Amino acid sequence: MKKIQFRIYLVLAGLLFLAADTYAGNPDRQGESGAAELLLNPWGRSAGLHSLNTSSVSGVESMRINIAGLGRITGKQIVVGSTRYLEGSDVRLSSFGYTQRSGKNGAFGVSLMAVDFGDINVTTTGQPGGTGATYSPSFFNMGLGYSYTYDNKISVGLLVRGVSESAPGVSAFGLAIDAGVQYVSGENDNFRLGISLRNIGAPMQFNGQGLTFKTPNPESETDQLLSVSQQAESFEMPSVLNIGISYDFLFGQNIKLRTMGNFTSNAFSRDEIGAGAEFSFKDMFMLRAGYRTNLKNVSGEVPNVYSGLSGGASIEVPFNESGKNKIGVDYAYRATSPFRGTHNLSVRFSF
């Protein structure tokens, strides 16, 4: 047991040391990172809490919030999600996740997310109003994660995610790593603490024929053209550190109120802080709400698009006599500025 505790302390110390060395919540770097889709949450249950449940998230959705929660399920879980991102922008998110127990204390999972930008008009310098043709960029990422739980109190996890972005003639690919820890304590596991470090990876860079253009040869007396290839600037991953706590208030056997707070340190924008709550009746009907805001807002500065309120609801019911197999539906709404909010809908199957 002492060896296990020592390893846990090493993981916690490593995460905190890396976080302290990497993060400063520097707003001067805002807009310098890429792969912003890694910050989008396609899952209805955690989206209703503004992704503030770092300490308590479990199953498939943990692969987007805190990978340590992956193993806090009893069997298998499948979740399918659809998101109308920034209503009015025509952007859609499609997601799929699967996780299952591996041995007594471990669990592994896979998650997929694709971004649909709709049809975009092709424009040129000669036809700025459009050529009549359209194109659609392809943004896709896939994560493979593993989590291990020690004595049902401390769980640690690691996830590797492949990130692909492409448009006609150009593409970029990168790898990002997530790591996380969750700690559970209290007579009824009321208190929870979570730390996650997300999107740590090497810079990405676009390449392809789309970066090549024709230009006259200055050393030729004819109309000879040269093909010149440009080199795109590389960009960093949008790394973030999350630290969250939660406490459960139990009212009898059937009613639970989970309260939570969360601090987010962004490497490329201002830090954020938020609080939320989730009401649960018999683990079948759930209502949740959250509020998140930037720290140290400057007068005249445009806040984060998700600074404000979020809310959601879930229903989860068994579909066999034993009650072990369940189907659930999660919905979330997050207020945004600008646009008309983001809607998340997820369907989950637990076995």
Side-chain angles (χ1 to χ4, degrees):
M1 185 63 183
K2 290 183 178 180
K3 289 183 178 180
I4 292 177
Q5 290 178 340
F6 178 71
R7 292 172 184 171
I8 294 170
Y9 295 147
L10 281 180
V11 172
L12 285 168
L15 280 173
L16 291 174
F17 175 80
L18 184 57
D21 185 60
T22 305
Y23 294 87
N26 187 358
D28 296 333
R29 304 177 67 189
Q30 189 154 343
E32 294 183 9
S33 67
E37 67 274 16
L38 296 180
L39 299 177
L40 305 182
N41 186 354
W43 307 118
R45 187 165 291 195
S46 52
L49 290 165
H50 255 327
S51 305
L52 301 173
N53 53 338
T54 304
S55 60
S56 57
V57 66
S58 63
V60 165
E61 298 197 18
S62 66
M63 288 185 279
R64 210 68 184 183
I65 310 294
N66 183 356
I67 183 59
L70 184 67
R72 296 194 177 276
I73 58 172
T74 57
K76 302 176 183 179
Q77 189 180 85
I78 298 173
V79 184
V80 180
S82 178
T83 301
R84 290 160 57 185
Y85 177 69
L86 300 179
E87 185 66 37
S89 69
D90 293 330
V91 178
R92 302 288 187 269
L93 309 180
S94 300
S95 54
F96 171 83
Y98 171 81
T99 183
Q100 74 171 51
R101 299 287 298 180
S102 176
K104 182 179 179 180
N105 298 313
F108 70 89
V110 57
S111 67
L112 311 172
M113 190 188 83
V115 184
D116 180 7
F117 294 92
D119 293 328
I120 301 174
N121 292 327
V122 175
T123 61
T124 65
T125 54
Q127 295 175 287
T131 64
T134 62
Y135 75 97
S136 182
S138 176
F139 281 32
F140 175 83
N141 59 75
M142 173 179 177
L144 297 173
Y146 180 81
S147 174
Y148 190 87
T149 303
Y150 299 93
D151 196 29
N152 197 40
K153 293 297 181 183
I154 297 180
S155 57
V156 296
L158 186 70
L159 178 139
V160 178
R161 195 186 315 274
V163 184
S164 174
E165 299 182 351
S166 64
V170 294
S171 63
F173 181 82
L175 291 174
I177 295 176
D178 293 3
V181 175
Q182 281 185 343
Y183 172 71
V184 178
S185 182
E187 183 177 350
N188 296 296
D189 293 339
N190 303 66
F191 175 78
R192 296 168 185 264
L193 168 69
I195 302 174
S196 69
L197 193 57
R198 300 191 57 238
N199 307 330
I200 304 300
M204 294 175 61
Q205 186 178 39
F206 279 98
N207 296 285
Q209 291 297 318
L211 297 175
T212 301
F213 64 97
K214 300 286 187 178
T215 185
N217 185 351
E219 298 181 358
S220 175
E221 296 180 357
T222 65
D223 294 331
Q224 181 185 20
L225 296 177
L226 295 177
S227 293
V228 179
S229 179
Q230 302 177 91
Q231 184 174 9
E233 184 71 23
S234 61
F235 53 90
E236 301 285 343
M237 297 280 190
S239 306
V240 294
L241 167 72
N242 287 295
I243 302 175
I245 59 172
S246 65
Y247 189 85
D248 297 343
F249 295 92
L250 305 178
F251 303 92
Q253 297 292 324
N254 299 322
I255 298 177
K256 178 174 66 177
L257 178 64
R258 172 168 291 167
T259 58
M260 63 194 69
N262 196 84
F263 168 76
T264 300
S265 182
N266 295 293
F268 294 92
S269 61
R270 291 198 179 276
D271 296 338
E272 298 170 297
I273 192 169
E278 181 180 67
F279 173 83
S280 173
F281 177 70
K282 290 186 176 182
D283 289 330
M284 294 176 59
F285 306 99
M286 285 152 274
L287 294 174
R288 56 187 66 91
Y291 181 83
R292 188 171 70 178
T293 185
N294 292 353
L295 288 176
K296 299 180 180 179
N297 281 327
V298 177
S299 178
E301 181 181 18
V302 178
N304 186 298
V305 67
Y306 281 126
S307 292
L309 293 170
S310 67
S314 297
I315 180 172
E316 189 167 31
V317 295
F319 60 87
N320 67 345
E321 294 182 358
S322 67
K324 180 180 178 181
N325 299 342
K326 298 181 179 180
I327 180 172
V329 178
D330 308 314
Y331 170 78
Y333 172 80
R334 287 169 286 170
T336 61
S337 177
F339 296 100
R340 301 191 300 273
T342 293
H343 301 265
N344 291 73
L345 182 66
S346 299
V347 179
R348 67 180 57 240
F349 302 90
S350 301
F351 305 94

